[in-house]
Amino acid sequence: MRYLCAVYLEPKSMEKLSPAEGATLDRDSIAYDDELRRSGHYIVSDALQRATTAKTLRVRNGKLSVTDGPFAETKEQLGGFILVEASNMDEAVELASKIPMAKYGTIEVRPIMDLSSKSKS
């Protein structure tokens, strides 16, 4: 089963990292992706640019509304994701606990809904 590991972080706490600490975190994150590939759990991952670069859109009654930034004003913002293959939620949580960003932010683990089986009914 596939699980999304959504990585949330506080931008201010990330800004406090020294350049060396940031480089180490990047290196550790890439190394963990490689470890997940070798073990067969890795599907895809990526880091996101700052939330201030985002656009949020809504379509209501056929009318498009676009605003700058993320939908919610929160301390923690979505910073990236890793999509993994795991046998169950316990294994997915174990994999997510080793994501280097977990030391600085929050990881949400959520099962992926299989819509392909719903469309066949």
Side-chain angles (χ1 to χ4, degrees), residues 33-68:
D33 286 354
D34 290 341
E35 183 179 325
L36 289 171
R37 274 186 198 90
R38 284 190 299 278
S39 68
H41 292 99
Y42 183 87
I43 298 172
V44 67
S45 66
D46 233 323
L48 300 175
Q49 291 189 20
R50 293 175 176 263
T52 55
T53 66
K55 299 278 185 191
T56 299
L57 66 94
R58 293 172 186 78
V59 177
R60 301 293 185 270
N61 299 317
K63 186 173 179 177
L64 173 63
S65 169
V66 180
T67 56
D68 290 336

Side-chain angles (χ1 to χ4, degrees), residues 1-2 112-121:
M1 185 167 187
R2 294 176 300 155
I112 298 295
M113 187 182 301
D114 182 7
L115 294 177
S116 63
S117 63
K118 291 185 179 218
S119 65
K120 294 176 185 175
S121 13

Side-chain angles (χ1 to χ4, degrees), residues 1-3 84-95 109 111:
M1 185 167 187
R2 294 176 300 155
Y3 293 85
V84 298
E85 182 72 35
S87 58
N88 56 43
M89 178 61 89
D90 290 340
E91 183 181 30
V93 167
E94 180 183 336
L95 295 169
V109 179

Side-chain angles (χ1 to χ4, degrees), residues 64-78:
L64 173 63
S65 169
V66 180
T67 56
D68 290 336
F71 170 68
E73 292 291 328
T74 62
K75 277 185 159 183
E76 290 189 324
Q77 298 172 349
L78 184 62

Side-chain angles (χ1 to χ4, degrees), residues 2 5 7 9 24 29 33-34 36 40 62 92 106 112:
R2 294 176 300 155
C5 303
V7 179
L9 52 91
T24 297
S29 296
D33 286 354
D34 290 341
L36 289 171
T106 302
I112 298 295

